[in-house]
Structures are given as structure tokens and as C-alpha cells.
Amino acid sequence: MAAIRFFSLFETNPTVTATAAANLLFRRYSSSSASVSSDDLQHTTSAAAGDPQPHPWPEWLTFVDRLKSKGYINQEGGNDVALYKDMSVLKEACLSFGRDRFDLFKSLSMQDVQTLVEKGCPNINRKTVNSGKRLRAHLQLDEGDACGVCVLRGSCDRAYVILKDVESSARTVDIVRILLNYALDPVVGLSKKPLGADIVEASAKKLLLELTTLSDTNIDPELQRPAAAPVARKAPSFQYVERDSSRNVEMKRGDWMCPKCNFLNFARNTKCRECNEDGPKKASDEDVEMKKGDWICPQCNFMNFSRNIRCLKCKTEGPKRVGTDDIEMKKGDWNCPQCRFMNFASNTKCLRCREHRPKRQLNAGEWECPSCDFLNYAGNVVCRKCNGERPNDVEAKYQFTK
């Protein structure tokens, strides 16, 4: 756009101005005059002439148009403005192109790829994060350094995780996935951007131009398609659900809580009545094997589970808990003021005693999303979890502190 403003000083015809500026933008990245045709630049010219611009990146418009011309996007009409920001349509098209053109990865600028991934990932989606890790492994970048400066590390469950050798082979689809998420990030197009976003955007645009140009080349028949990475099957997990049937019910001797689904079972049940999980092994017909943290009430000799802060039978106070000072806590984690249980940042209630989370201690500029309660850093202009806008009062305070 700086080039467009430059040409406007010397030209009065808006169509000529936009065409000259577009040629200047694309000339340094094209290997031939046919690499990016005048049809590909149609959106840049129309945007300068006053038509609504479907996306702030001309390079993204050109890349999507190239996908349409090659049959990756089947859409009638062809001029739908919403298409260029529609993740549901573009995701499958971009990833299919990346898998089909596995040969293009070795021809891309590794310096621009490094700029895209050396400071973290565009979001905390698991596949996006794994693609970033594969690219950093290919570039021999330290994963700890990248995660250490990433603003999303506090909410990313893959932070500092090193991929296994069988998972660490970088491919074209990995860089396409990263570019897709950067291009459709809600921050793109805003006047206020996080620090360093302009440098990342410049490299993303260069890589989009390279992919557009290289898409016209033929695949080397001697190259073999890389083998697909093995898919790790997850065991079915059970989420904690608070049940009215076992709430405030006095547990008798031998009764037990299922460790998977938290269902209260009577002593006679050898398996959980809810999820069929095996119950605790019994030492005898009367006694239940005690697990770590369980305790015997000194007043009535009733066996209590570790989460009970007082005896369920006679209400005698339980033993003092081990302090949580030596446990490493991440950003947003909190200790329950009632039972001192350490909870993760995503828990709004204590998992042990169901006490509500106390008010968070926020640093200057940090803010909680009013829609999803996600803790955002000061540099986030939209919520990283639900894309909700930052409250105006927080924005004003952040600008004042700066």
C-alpha cells in the first residue's frame, strides 16, 4: 500500500496507479512475467479503484485465486468476498494443496519460514502447534527458546514439548497451515497490531507469493511422496461432572468414588455403575485399601478420602495438608482458599471442594475475556480463545500505562 501512495503523487488515473503499484509489489518475487498474471492482480486494482477489499493481503487473494483455478475450491459465482476469509472452505483447500505439492517445501525461503515460527505459533490449535514444532526442528531452532518468548505459552498444552523423531519431518502442508492461520487471524487488518507483527506479515506475504509462483511447476516424478505420520490413538477420557445424585451425600464405610467419572458407588459395587471402571481392591470384606492421601479419623475411626478436609461422619477436622509452595505453577493457576488445592487456570471452581475461584491478580494491561473468562496478555487486542473483543475500559487503562 505504500507503493500505491507513492504512485499517487505522480499519477491521476486510479486504475493506472493501482496497476503500477501492484506490478511493483509482485515483481521482486516472480521468476518470470507469467508467474503472476494480470488476472491474479485483479483484486489489488479493484481495491484501489474503490471496490470493497475482501482481504488486506493482495498476496493472499492471489494465492486463493490460484487454488480456485486449479480446482481446489469449487464455488459458483467466483466473486464471493466472504470466500477469502472463510476458514471452513479454505482450510481443506489449502491443506490439500500442501499435501499434493510436497515437492515445493525445499524451494521456499527458509529465512522467511524461520521468521514465521521462531517466536511461537499463531494459535494453540494442536495441529498448528505441531506444524510449528516440525518447522523449527527442520531449521534446528531451539524449541525451548521459541516457547519461552511465545505469548501463548501459558495456555498451550504443548508448550516446551519436543516431538518424537517419527513426527518431526517438516512438509509443505506444515508451512501452508501456518500461513492459513496467520492470514485468517482476526488481528490482520487492524490498525493496532502486536509488536513484531509487521515483520511476520512481510515474511508470510513473501511465502504466499513463492507458493503461487511455484504452483505452476511440475512435480518431479522421481520424488516420492512422504509417508504419513502415524496417528496416535487417545484412550477415551472421562470429564469431571458434578452430579446431583452424589452431591452432599454422606459416604458410608466402604463406599468409593470412581477415579474416572467421579460417580459415588456403594461398597458392594466392584465396578463403577456409571462407566464400568474397576473399583479399588479390597483388603477384606470390611476394609477398603487406602490410597495415597486417604486418612483415618482419630475421633470415630472413619476412613476418609484425601479430598475430604473434615471427617464425613463426625465432622472432625482432617490432618493438615502439605503446602503447595514447592509446586511449580503456571500463569493463571490458583490455590483454593478453602482447602489449599492447586487448580489449573481453566478451573472456575476448585476440583476438590467446589469453592469458587478467587479474583485473579492481573498484571498491568492483562484482561479477562467477558465471554469465555480466558486470561489474555496485554498485547492481545482480541481474545485468543473465542476472538472476543477486548473491553474498552481495559484498552484505555493499557494505553494510559504505556
Side-chain angles (χ1 to χ4, degrees):
M1 299 309 294
I4 295 177
R5 290 195 295 269
F6 173 77
F7 278 98
S8 65
L9 297 176
F10 303 93
E11 299 287 347
T12 58
N13 189 321
T15 304
V16 175
T17 301
T19 304
N23 288 331
L24 176 62
L25 285 171
F26 286 95
R27 189 177 301 151
R28 64 181 289 192
Y29 309 116
S30 302
S31 58
S32 65
S33 58
S35 298
V36 182
S37 64
S38 60
D39 293 336
D40 293 331
L41 302 180
Q42 177 181 2
H43 294 287
T44 305
T45 305
S46 61
D51 294 339
Q53 191 175 15
H55 194 278
W57 292 1
E59 297 83 359
W60 176 249
L61 303 179
T62 305
F63 178 69
V64 174
D65 286 342
R66 187 58 57 90
L67 294 181
K68 290 169 60 178
S69 66
K70 292 185 176 297
Y72 288 99
I73 301 176
N74 296 323
Q75 186 190 35
E76 297 180 357
N79 292 323
D80 187 5
V81 175
L83 166 68
Y84 299 94
K85 297 182 181 180
D86 191 345
M87 175 66 83
S88 61
V89 176
L90 296 177
K91 178 180 178 181
E92 185 59 32
C94 291
L95 297 184
S96 297
F97 169 78
R99 296 186 185 101
D100 292 343
R101 297 309 307 265
F102 57 90
D103 60 310
L104 302 184
F105 181 74
K106 58 182 175 56
S107 302
L108 298 176
S109 168
M110 290 298 110
Q111 182 61 45
D112 290 321
V113 174
Q114 178 174 337
T115 303
L116 246 62
V117 300
E118 65 181 350
K119 296 296 180 63
C121 305
N123 55 49
I124 59 175
N125 177 273
R126 190 177 184 88
K127 290 188 176 180
T128 305
V129 172
N130 286 342
S131 288
K133 290 180 180 292
R134 281 191 285 268
L135 293 170
R136 286 190 287 271
H138 177 81
L139 296 168
Q140 298 182 348
L141 299 177
D142 187 88
E143 186 66 21
D145 293 342
C147 293
V149 297
C150 181
V151 297
L152 302 178
R153 66 183 182 278
S155 54
C156 180
D157 59 355
R158 301 283 290 169
Y160 301 101
V161 174
I162 305 297
L163 294 179
K164 300 178 181 178
D165 291 339
V166 72
E167 303 175 318
S168 59
S169 178
R171 298 163 292 170
T172 307
V173 69
D174 292 315
I175 188 60
V176 173
R177 181 180 283 115
I178 296 294
L179 290 171
L180 169 68
N181 283 277
Y182 270 121
L184 300 186
D185 194 302
V187 177
V188 173
L190 296 179
S191 57
K192 297 179 181 179
K193 298 179 182 179
L195 184 64
D198 292 336
I199 300 177
V200 174
E201 283 190 9
S203 293
K205 293 177 180 179
K206 292 179 184 178
L207 290 169
L208 287 171
L209 280 177
E210 291 179 4
L211 288 172
T212 303
T213 303
L214 294 170
S215 64
D216 288 333
T217 60
N218 296 323
I219 301 178
D220 187 350
E222 297 183 359
L223 291 178
Q224 294 183 351
R225 181 180 293 271
V231 179
R233 299 289 181 181
K234 279 189 175 181
S237 60
F238 294 87
Q239 187 178 4
Y240 174 85
V241 178
E242 185 175 313
R243 305 179 182 278
D244 294 336
S245 58
S246 60
R247 195 176 182 182
N248 299 325
V249 177
E250 181 178 350
M251 293 178 64
K252 295 183 179 180
R253 189 175 185 83
D255 293 349
W256 55 280
M257 299 290 291
C258 177
K260 279 196 172 181
C261 67
N262 208 49
F263 185 80
L264 172 61
N265 292 271
F266 295 124
R268 62 177 177 269
N269 298 341
T270 58
K271 294 186 175 182
C272 177
R273 297 297 299 274
E274 182 72 13
C275 67
N276 211 33
E277 175 72 8
D278 290 332
K281 297 180 180 180
K282 295 185 178 181
S284 64
D285 293 337
E286 297 180 357
D287 298 326
V288 178
E289 180 181 5
M290 294 180 64
K291 297 182 179 180
K292 184 178 180 180
D294 296 346
W295 55 281
I296 301 293
C297 176
Q299 187 71 22
C300 65
N301 207 37
F302 183 81
M303 192 199 79
N304 293 270
F305 292 121
S306 60
R307 64 176 174 273
N308 300 339
I309 59 176
R310 58 179 64 87
C311 179
L312 287 179
K313 187 173 183 179
C314 67
K315 307 303 179 184
T316 299
E317 293 293 329
K320 293 183 179 180
R321 306 280 178 181
V322 177
T324 58
D325 295 336
D326 297 332
I327 301 178
E328 182 179 358
M329 298 177 65
K330 295 184 178 180
K331 179 69 175 178
D333 295 347
W334 55 281
N335 292 322
C336 176
Q338 182 71 19
C339 65
R340 302 306 301 165
F341 183 81
M342 192 195 79
N343 294 270
F344 293 126
S346 57
N347 299 337
T348 58
K349 291 183 179 180
C350 177
L351 288 182
R352 172 177 286 167
C353 69
R354 313 307 295 162
E355 179 75 10
H356 285 281
R357 180 183 64 196
K359 189 175 181 180
R360 288 169 170 166
Q361 298 294 329
L362 303 179
N363 296 328
E366 293 179 343
W367 55 282
E368 295 176 330
C369 178
S371 300
C372 65
D373 200 48
F374 184 77
L375 175 61
N376 289 272
Y377 290 98
N380 299 346
V381 295
V382 294
C383 178
R384 283 291 182 177
K385 186 174 183 181
C386 70
N387 293 333
E389 294 184 358
R390 180 170 61 187
N392 294 331
D393 56 338
V394 175
E395 183 176 2
K397 290 180 181 178
Y398 175 61
Q399 292 177 349
F400 179 76
T401 55
K402 290 198 300 182

